[in-house]
Amino acid sequence: MSNNTNLSEVEIVKDKSNYLRGTIEGSLTNEITGALYADDTHLIKFHGSYQQADRDLDSERKRQKLEPLYSFMIRVRVPGGIATPKQWLVMDNLADQYGSGTLKLTTRQAFQLHGVMKRNLKQTIKGFNTALLDSIAGCGDVVRNVMSNPNPHQSAVHGEVYEISKRISEHFTPRTRAYYELWLNDELVGGGEPESEPNPEDEPIYGKTYLPRKFKIALAIPPHNDTDIFANDIGLIAIERDGKLLGFNVAAGGGLGMTFGMPDTYPRLADVSGFCTTEQVLDVIENIVLIQRDLGNRENRKFSRLKYTIDQMGLDAFKTELHNRLGYTLADAEPYTFTSNGDAYGWQKGKDGKWNLTLFIEGGRVVDTEQYKLRSGLRDVAAFLRDNNGDGDFRLTGNQNVMICNVAPKNKARVQAILEHYGILAEINKTGLRLNSLACVALNTCTLAFAEAERYLPSLIDKLDVVIRESGLERDAIVIRMTGCPNGCARPYLGEIAFVGRALGRYNLYLGAGFAGERLNKLYKEMLNEEEIVAELTPIIHRYAQERTNGERFGDFVIRAGYVTATTHGTNFHH
Amino acid sequence: MEQLLQSPNTQLDWLRQVNETLTPQQLLWLSGYSYGLYIAKNDGNHNAKFEAKNGSHSPSIAAPTATLPAEFSAQTAAQTQIPLTILYGSHSGNGKKVAANAAEQAKNRGFVVKMHDMNEYPLKNLKQEKNLLVVVSTHGEGIPPIAAEDLYNHVHSPRAPKLGETSFSVLALGDKSYIHYCKTGADFDGQLEKLGATRIHPRVDCDVDFEQDVQAWIDGTFKALLDKAGVKPSSGILHTNGRTNGYANGHATPQPSTYTKQHPFEATVLEKVKLNGRGSVKETYHLELALEGSGLAYEPGDALGIYAENSEELVHEVLNATNLSADAPVQVGDSTMPLAEALTRQYELTILTRDTLTKHNAFAQSGVLQETLLDTSRLQSYLYGSDVVDVLTKFPVQHTPETLISILRKLPPRLYSIASSLHEHPDEAHLTVSAVRYEAGGRHKKGVASCFLADRVALEGRLKVFVERNEMFKLPQNSATDIIMIGPGTGIAPFRAFVEVRANNGTSTAAGKNWLFFGNPHFTTDFLYQTELQQWLKKGALARLDLAFSRDQADKLYVQHKLLARSKDVFAWLENGTQFYVCGDKNRMAVDVEAALRTIVERESGVSAERAAEYVKSLKKQRRYLEDVY
């Protein structure tokens, strides 16, 4: 690798960063700007943070002779999405103290704070630490937050699967001390000289240049695919028999990002490549990660994900490489069935007699508005649970929603009352379309966005809801997703209806993904404005209401009705 | 030249002697006069050639025997060799301008003039002075400017000489909005008399609008001095008409503009932008004004005078409080105008002065007001934050339009340090203006000029402006000298001009380094000129930039704290000859910065607090510590 002179800029930055330290400390103490030095903007991602700017204000501030309003997004890892009431309260408080006053629940079961100023980064990350949370590897070219089905009542093996997801997360957490030195004022451990280079053995898996690109892992317990495992580099499908976890089907090579105008880039779902036991699973994952580390493209980051590595070498060659590295062969995949990738709202009683409640959080944004005090309501619930011996916990779902789980029967009424007081439970009465919506952050903070998403989708759904209601489809779940760019944060290519931003107010419309996240959608129309979106979708929704067969999903109907053809593999997504 | 003269040594010596006694104007006149004589002695060919070369010739050439200018006829007074010493002590430079003006006029009238900055005046000379003019300003709470301190203390000390042989007159400069208006001048006036000197002309106290009063004092004083010497004020006594314009343009301006404080230029607003980002409690505007066609020139450190107008609301409030008609005609100077217009453009309404209060009480006859007027501390707190409407409402009087304007102070133009350099922005002047708004006495108050600029001046609008030189706040003569600039808030304005000019010196080792300290409440919204400062840092035009954003952390952080944090380097720079500049808030910031500097000297050189204070004071006296504070 070191002989390769065509390495991408980020590879060079990583290489000379001394295990992710770079000049971040200098960037932080530079008072002249709210931004980091250019190289450090790449490295800070590994510490869980993106440098952003308030794009709404860019031109105004330029005239005011002020630099862009830089701030930082910080993503806090929550393996399996489980947070204690105390952790929820700490995050809530940090959002006020240093952030924009809101919490964003991500599509990958993490918390995001937005609008953190550079000068407050250290204090914020120290704040996470007081609640035993961290943002290590929240972003960057490493194994990201490991997703797992959060719902404890759904399966007896849930606890076991969650433990495995945590173990995977810990196994792949970077070993560098940079995070502790930079953010927690931790001196170099083991008497090491600050000048001396850490032993490469400090990153036995990653090495000093880490992975070519981000690496996502998700676990799911059939029939629920709420973690959208096929969108991940590695998806693990739990296989249970008689309430016992046998192991996992291993799917590899998923990833949704693509670039407009580059047909060589495409979203791709992971291929189920075999079965491994629970004892083998860490070994199998590590070897897939190592294949990607060694063979992944480090010259052009647009082709660096595992999906391209696999398609480049061929799936069979990839399996052979994996088997060679493992020294054994994966068993054939076990049969499984997924029925949905959404969340089931409302109270459900677990096998242990405790109660679990799934709440809809539109756009994953926990915020108080004049009309709707969602954040206050959840804060009150968290405080109540904390004060009751820490009863219950908060679980972030892969659909930007939150569950309040393991509530003792005696506390259920109080939780219910608090949520009713704030009107939060009434949200469950929204249309099936809205309850199955996802939107990425996009404008104004995301530097990649071409168009609005989270700020706009609710009002677009208002308009589509009119059509939905007149068609009598209020109770029907339809997966609808919107992103401000084609990079895929809200997994748009797995939406039965999806909008991907092309320009301000203009979207590509995609149709026909599988309801359980097992099939990608297909481009239907390009560059639509709102009026055109509503005009295009109205007759399709009407026809769906009239012509659907029993239990036929919207995504299947649009293919049968001929609006789009089915995408059977990422490589034919653009056809 | 020597070859041209018949007896070189004698004639040349004679010419040199004559030359020493001539003012520049006299020399100029003589050159024309001599040329006219030359033409008269020769044929017209030379003249034709001369015209062909230059296109024109001056009227004085055509009429070489025309009347001698007044300077020469006044020479008769010089026969009596009246000595005159003019001492000035001022902070802003106005005192120096007034003194220079008086000195020039005095020379023209034949006085033998010596002019001194009080700072550099040998105190032992005082008792020998025959005729002494004192021009002195008053600082803050009635204290002498630092340049006047030694002389002030000397005349008030037991060592003060007897001045029985001395005639004197004092011109006091001040600002009526301060309670201790012209106090230092009054102190000098009283003390010189106590020391036995003869007051030859009554003291004149000048408000910020001082030109006319100064000329009256000059004329009166000179007449008295000539009378005393028995010189008849012949028709040759020159009133240097138009010289008063010099205050606005200054002698250093290469081509004096015809636009002056008395005849301001109407500048077009090219750009107006609020520099504070959204959510800021501050309201600071950056204005760019077109000076094209005005001939106005300025140097970094100079100020732009702005003629502001009172707001319609405030004028209405005055009219309501007095029950007077907006249309009532009033006489202002030579013209008659409606009262509302006079109140809008001619009179100060936002600032209340002791003078106005006194005059008002002549009508109101309020015992309470009288007591307040007699109690300085009560008066001070009453004047602070009160305006004309407050007085008119609280102590009502049936004013006529005439009595109303008779109690009011003329609205002086407001001065703003220019935030640009002509080098970087030819034909433009930029300003950094903070809108002053506050609530007092249950009413919303606004700074007259700042809110005029903030609220009522729009792009492409016009503003009456003039250039006000500030000799006391100039870049070092030597561009290799390092400078430290302390400019929080709008105090950054002149330093933007400084750096713009010094950036062109290049970043070679020969160019002096520039170090700026800036502060304001918040980094995000209040970092004035942030992107420009970033560029200067990148290019090396700024060697260092230290920032103090007071509200971005639990403990308030100000520029003086940043200075202290850089103690070692600041002291090293000072020892290396750095010039130290402070611009901005006078009452707190400038005081705290000076205290911080004393601490730095004490800490870094290990001397006593007293010695450190002397060190800082000597910086001021050497004019290496310069302030433009308000």
Side-chain angles (χ1 to χ4, degrees), chain A residues 88 263 297 391 460 482 505:
Chain A
W88 182 277
N297 184 329
D391 182 43
L460 178 61
M482 175 177 274

Side-chain angles (χ1 to χ4, degrees), chain A residues 31 60-61 64 67 69, chain B residues 276 278 524 530 534 562:
Chain A
E31 301 176 327
E60 173 180 311
R61 286 178 63 93
Q64 293 178 310
E67 70 177 10
L69 181 46
Chain B
N276 301 97
R278 291 190 195 188
T524 303
Q530 180 185 23
Q534 288 174 339
K562 268 295 166 82

Side-chain angles (χ1 to χ4, degrees), chain B residues 490-532:
Chain B
T490 54
I492 196 173
F495 302 133
R496 182 172 179 261
F498 277 26
V499 179
E500 280 186 357
V501 166
R502 304 234 315 172
N504 292 299
N505 297 344
T507 52
S508 67
T509 45
K513 296 194 296 276
N514 307 316
W515 184 357
L516 175 67
F517 287 80
F518 175 76
N520 234 353
H522 295 288
F523 167 83
T524 303
T525 54
D526 308 322
F527 193 164
L528 307 183
Y529 301 109
Q530 180 185 23
T531 51
E532 293 184 0

Side-chain angles (χ1 to χ4, degrees), chain B residues 605-616:
Chain B
S605 66
V607 298
S608 67
E610 292 72 27
R611 293 292 299 275
E614 274 169 35
Y615 182 102
V616 172

